[in-house]
Amino acid sequence: MSDRDIYVTRPFLPPLEELMPDLERIWTRRDLTNGAAFHREFERALASYLGVPFVSLFANATIALITALQCLRISGEVITTPYSFVATAHSLLWNGIEPVFVDIDPVSLSIDPARIEAAITPRTTAIMPVHVYGRPADVEAIQRIADTYGLRTIYDAAHGFGARYRGQSLAAFGDLAIMSFHATKVFNTFEGGAIVSRDAQTKQRIDYLKNFGFADEVTVVAAGINGKMNEFQAALGLRQLAHVDDCIDRRREIAVRYDAAFGSIRGLERLEAMDEHEPNGSYYPVFVREAFRCSRDELYRQLKSAGIYGRRYFYPLISDFPMYRGRPSAAPAGLPVARQAADSVICLPIYPELSPDDQQRVIDVVRGG
Ligand SMILES: *Cc1c(COP(=O)(O)O)cnc(C)c1O
């Protein structure tokens, strides 16, 4: 590791001076957690920024996913995607739910709605799609199927901060949507996450569940967990919110520069733009095809030896990990599009502070020069 190394992402942080008054308030008040002032203010600010009715803050998105499934009493089987970060499917196993993998659409890279109906059984209770790389899943088609079969929809929107579809935040779709504020995401509170819900009663239930099930000092209404976001994270989140639009603009500018540089390289394919989608520049994935000058893994190694750390998100597929691969729906024969994506994608460095010189270094190594 050296100063010259370039990682796939570098977390943005606000200037430390901005945070100092908040830290002094926390130190003076000693209200460190349990839904104190910064927590409440950050929930309101986020709901307003995202344009969604209700936000419940969490310590991280994985606990939020697990709690979302608890909240809607999801059981039996849930239809989901193998092309995601493992936490998506792990949240099902933590609830004793059977994940059923279906293949993805080659453009959205999220669940292919045409594959969902064939995977529905009498035990199916919900669909859990992912807005991969901040690109929208086919929310309309998925909702139609959910309505027809009486299924709930829980979206893993961990990549979706600041991305929009038809003018709405990606967090605005589904019965519940889960966001991640992990250090590697577009918007970070070091660790953190949230559930977006549609009505006050559901938010109330989520808020009980994330605090052990306490409804008041002496009343416990559910076997809840401790999923609360603390005051430090919430104060940081409020400060981060003031910068996030600039961060997203910077990411988009870098994506435009990469697009121009990579457009004419044989065998290197960028993701297709999607209708009515405003991207958040959260990742810069490219497909390395047969016609490229070397294999995807060889490009990954060439970048690495130049001190540039691309990531093969999402390789291996979730369905390849030992706790999933024995399931019938994890069989490779049923997941050819996901397999193809996992074997050909590499995510290149993109983050607000990636300098023009470093962007050029990435471009030069990809070009093979
Ligand atoms: C990052 C991520 C998560 C987990 O988020 P944490 O906040 O780290 O728990 C879940 N799903 C997807 C798709 C992710 O990328």
mmCIF file of all heavy atoms in Angstrom, residues 278-295:
data_model
loop_
_atom_site.group_PDB
_atom_site.id
_atom_site.type_symbol
_atom_site.label_atom_id
_atom_site.label_comp_id
_atom_site.label_asym_id
_atom_site.label_seq_id
_atom_site.Cartn_x
_atom_site.Cartn_y
_atom_site.Cartn_z
ATOM 1 N N GLU A 278 -31.929 8.806 -13.279
ATOM 2 C CA GLU A 278 -30.847 9.744 -12.958
ATOM 3 C C GLU A 278 -29.858 8.997 -12.075
ATOM 4 O O GLU A 278 -30.159 8.696 -10.917
ATOM 5 C CB GLU A 278 -31.383 10.951 -12.183
ATOM 6 C CG GLU A 278 -32.274 11.868 -12.984
ATOM 7 C CD GLU A 278 -33.025 12.825 -12.056
ATOM 8 O OE1 GLU A 278 -32.374 13.505 -11.234
ATOM 9 O OE2 GLU A 278 -34.261 12.860 -12.144
ATOM 10 N N PRO A 279 -28.679 8.675 -12.620
ATOM 11 C CA PRO A 279 -27.724 7.867 -11.857
ATOM 12 C C PRO A 279 -27.048 8.675 -10.746
ATOM 13 O O PRO A 279 -27.061 9.904 -10.762
ATOM 14 C CB PRO A 279 -26.699 7.428 -12.904
ATOM 15 C CG PRO A 279 -26.858 8.348 -14.057
ATOM 16 C CD PRO A 279 -28.209 9.006 -13.969
ATOM 17 N N ASN A 280 -26.472 7.952 -9.788
ATOM 18 C CA ASN A 280 -25.775 8.626 -8.681
ATOM 19 C C ASN A 280 -24.257 8.461 -8.771
ATOM 20 O O ASN A 280 -23.540 8.889 -7.875
ATOM 21 C CB ASN A 280 -26.287 8.115 -7.329
ATOM 22 C CG ASN A 280 -26.106 6.611 -7.167
ATOM 23 O OD1 ASN A 280 -25.554 5.947 -8.040
ATOM 24 N ND2 ASN A 280 -26.563 6.070 -6.060
ATOM 25 N N GLY A 281 -23.766 7.826 -9.847
ATOM 26 C CA GLY A 281 -22.319 7.658 -10.000
ATOM 27 C C GLY A 281 -21.703 6.804 -8.904
ATOM 28 O O GLY A 281 -20.525 6.918 -8.594
ATOM 29 N N SER A 282 -22.522 5.910 -8.319
ATOM 30 C CA SER A 282 -22.042 5.159 -7.153
ATOM 31 C C SER A 282 -20.952 4.155 -7.529
ATOM 32 O O SER A 282 -20.067 3.892 -6.733
ATOM 33 C CB SER A 282 -23.200 4.444 -6.468
ATOM 34 O OG SER A 282 -23.910 3.648 -7.382
ATOM 35 N N TYR A 283 -21.034 3.597 -8.720
ATOM 36 C CA TYR A 283 -20.022 2.637 -9.180
ATOM 37 C C TYR A 283 -19.756 2.939 -10.644
ATOM 38 O O TYR A 283 -20.585 3.543 -11.323
ATOM 39 C CB TYR A 283 -20.519 1.189 -9.052
ATOM 40 C CG TYR A 283 -20.802 0.781 -7.619
ATOM 41 C CD1 TYR A 283 -22.030 1.074 -7.029
ATOM 42 C CD2 TYR A 283 -19.834 0.126 -6.861
ATOM 43 C CE1 TYR A 283 -22.286 0.722 -5.700
ATOM 44 C CE2 TYR A 283 -20.083 -0.238 -5.541
ATOM 45 C CZ TYR A 283 -21.311 0.069 -4.975
ATOM 46 O OH TYR A 283 -21.562 -0.283 -3.681
ATOM 47 N N TYR A 284 -18.577 2.489 -11.139
ATOM 48 C CA TYR A 284 -18.351 2.568 -12.583
ATOM 49 C C TYR A 284 -17.992 1.176 -13.100
ATOM 50 O O TYR A 284 -16.818 0.834 -13.251
ATOM 51 C CB TYR A 284 -17.270 3.588 -12.950
ATOM 52 C CG TYR A 284 -17.292 3.867 -14.443
ATOM 53 C CD1 TYR A 284 -18.103 4.862 -14.963
ATOM 54 C CD2 TYR A 284 -16.550 3.084 -15.325
ATOM 55 C CE1 TYR A 284 -18.176 5.087 -16.330
ATOM 56 C CE2 TYR A 284 -16.610 3.298 -16.694
ATOM 57 C CZ TYR A 284 -17.426 4.304 -17.182
ATOM 58 O OH TYR A 284 -17.507 4.523 -18.538
ATOM 59 N N PRO A 285 -19.047 0.353 -13.353
ATOM 60 C CA PRO A 285 -18.793 -0.997 -13.843
ATOM 61 C C PRO A 285 -18.585 -1.006 -15.357
ATOM 62 O O PRO A 285 -19.234 -0.235 -16.072
ATOM 63 C CB PRO A 285 -20.076 -1.741 -13.480
ATOM 64 C CG PRO A 285 -21.127 -0.681 -13.384
ATOM 65 C CD PRO A 285 -20.461 0.646 -13.162
ATOM 66 N N VAL A 286 -17.679 -1.845 -15.831
ATOM 67 C CA VAL A 286 -17.572 -2.110 -17.273
ATOM 68 C C VAL A 286 -17.553 -3.624 -17.475
ATOM 69 O O VAL A 286 -17.093 -4.372 -16.612
ATOM 70 C CB VAL A 286 -16.293 -1.507 -17.911
ATOM 71 C CG1 VAL A 286 -16.389 0.006 -18.000
ATOM 72 C CG2 VAL A 286 -15.028 -1.921 -17.168
ATOM 73 N N PHE A 287 -18.090 -4.057 -18.629
ATOM 74 C CA PHE A 287 -18.034 -5.467 -19.002
ATOM 75 C C PHE A 287 -16.814 -5.691 -19.875
ATOM 76 O O PHE A 287 -16.633 -5.003 -20.878
ATOM 77 C CB PHE A 287 -19.274 -5.875 -19.789
ATOM 78 C CG PHE A 287 -20.529 -5.870 -18.979
ATOM 79 C CD1 PHE A 287 -21.462 -4.857 -19.112
ATOM 80 C CD2 PHE A 287 -20.767 -6.885 -18.070
ATOM 81 C CE1 PHE A 287 -22.626 -4.852 -18.355
ATOM 82 C CE2 PHE A 287 -21.929 -6.897 -17.308
ATOM 83 C CZ PHE A 287 -22.854 -5.873 -17.451
ATOM 84 N N VAL A 288 -16.003 -6.647 -19.504
ATOM 85 C CA VAL A 288 -14.851 -7.012 -20.316
ATOM 86 C C VAL A 288 -15.260 -8.212 -21.170
ATOM 87 O O VAL A 288 -15.464 -9.307 -20.646
ATOM 88 C CB VAL A 288 -13.640 -7.366 -19.426
ATOM 89 C CG1 VAL A 288 -12.446 -7.745 -20.272
ATOM 90 C CG2 VAL A 288 -13.317 -6.206 -18.491
ATOM 91 N N ARG A 289 -15.429 -7.970 -22.467
ATOM 92 C CA ARG A 289 -15.922 -9.020 -23.372
ATOM 93 C C ARG A 289 -14.763 -9.737 -24.059
ATOM 94 O O ARG A 289 -13.613 -9.306 -23.994
ATOM 95 C CB ARG A 289 -16.845 -8.405 -24.431
ATOM 96 C CG ARG A 289 -18.036 -7.641 -23.868
ATOM 97 C CD ARG A 289 -19.012 -8.554 -23.166
ATOM 98 N NE ARG A 289 -20.249 -7.860 -22.827
ATOM 99 C CZ ARG A 289 -21.102 -8.254 -21.890
ATOM 100 N NH1 ARG A 289 -20.850 -9.339 -21.173
ATOM 101 N NH2 ARG A 289 -22.211 -7.569 -21.654
ATOM 102 N N GLU A 290 -15.119 -10.817 -24.794
ATOM 103 C CA GLU A 290 -14.140 -11.633 -25.549
ATOM 104 C C GLU A 290 -13.176 -10.792 -26.378
ATOM 105 O O GLU A 290 -11.980 -11.077 -26.441
ATOM 106 C CB GLU A 290 -14.885 -12.564 -26.515
ATOM 107 C CG GLU A 290 -15.608 -13.716 -25.862
ATOM 108 C CD GLU A 290 -14.676 -14.888 -25.585
ATOM 109 O OE1 GLU A 290 -13.997 -15.326 -26.536
ATOM 110 O OE2 GLU A 290 -14.644 -15.350 -24.427
ATOM 111 N N ALA A 291 -13.733 -9.754 -27.024
ATOM 112 C CA ALA A 291 -12.942 -8.975 -27.978
ATOM 113 C C ALA A 291 -11.912 -8.064 -27.303
ATOM 114 O O ALA A 291 -11.059 -7.478 -27.979
ATOM 115 C CB ALA A 291 -13.875 -8.136 -28.848
ATOM 116 N N PHE A 292 -11.959 -7.948 -26.004
ATOM 117 C CA PHE A 292 -11.000 -7.076 -25.305
ATOM 118 C C PHE A 292 -9.599 -7.685 -25.398
ATOM 119 O O PHE A 292 -9.436 -8.879 -25.613
ATOM 120 C CB PHE A 292 -11.427 -6.911 -23.839
ATOM 121 C CG PHE A 292 -10.650 -5.857 -23.100
ATOM 122 C CD1 PHE A 292 -10.747 -4.510 -23.446
ATOM 123 C CD2 PHE A 292 -9.807 -6.209 -22.048
ATOM 124 C CE1 PHE A 292 -10.027 -3.526 -22.755
ATOM 125 C CE2 PHE A 292 -9.088 -5.233 -21.351
ATOM 126 C CZ PHE A 292 -9.193 -3.897 -21.710
ATOM 127 N N ARG A 293 -8.576 -6.853 -25.215
ATOM 128 C CA ARG A 293 -7.197 -7.305 -25.397
ATOM 129 C C ARG A 293 -6.752 -8.345 -24.370
ATOM 130 O O ARG A 293 -5.742 -9.023 -24.565
ATOM 131 C CB ARG A 293 -6.240 -6.109 -25.369
ATOM 132 C CG ARG A 293 -6.312 -5.331 -24.069
ATOM 133 C CD ARG A 293 -5.354 -4.171 -24.009
ATOM 134 N NE ARG A 293 -5.536 -3.452 -22.760
ATOM 135 C CZ ARG A 293 -5.047 -3.864 -21.591
ATOM 136 N NH1 ARG A 293 -4.332 -4.960 -21.505
ATOM 137 N NH2 ARG A 293 -5.293 -3.156 -20.501
ATOM 138 N N CYS A 294 -7.483 -8.485 -23.254
ATOM 139 C CA CYS A 294 -7.154 -9.529 -22.279
ATOM 140 C C CYS A 294 -8.423 -9.889 -21.514
ATOM 141 O O CYS A 294 -9.477 -9.288 -21.720
ATOM 142 C CB CYS A 294 -6.054 -9.054 -21.319
ATOM 143 S SG CYS A 294 -6.560 -7.709 -20.229
ATOM 144 N N SER A 295 -8.306 -10.875 -20.629
ATOM 145 C CA SER A 295 -9.484 -11.300 -19.867
ATOM 146 C C SER A 295 -9.792 -10.293 -18.763
ATOM 147 O O SER A 295 -8.952 -9.453 -18.424
ATOM 148 C CB SER A 295 -9.220 -12.670 -19.234
ATOM 149 O OG SER A 295 -8.274 -12.518 -18.189
#
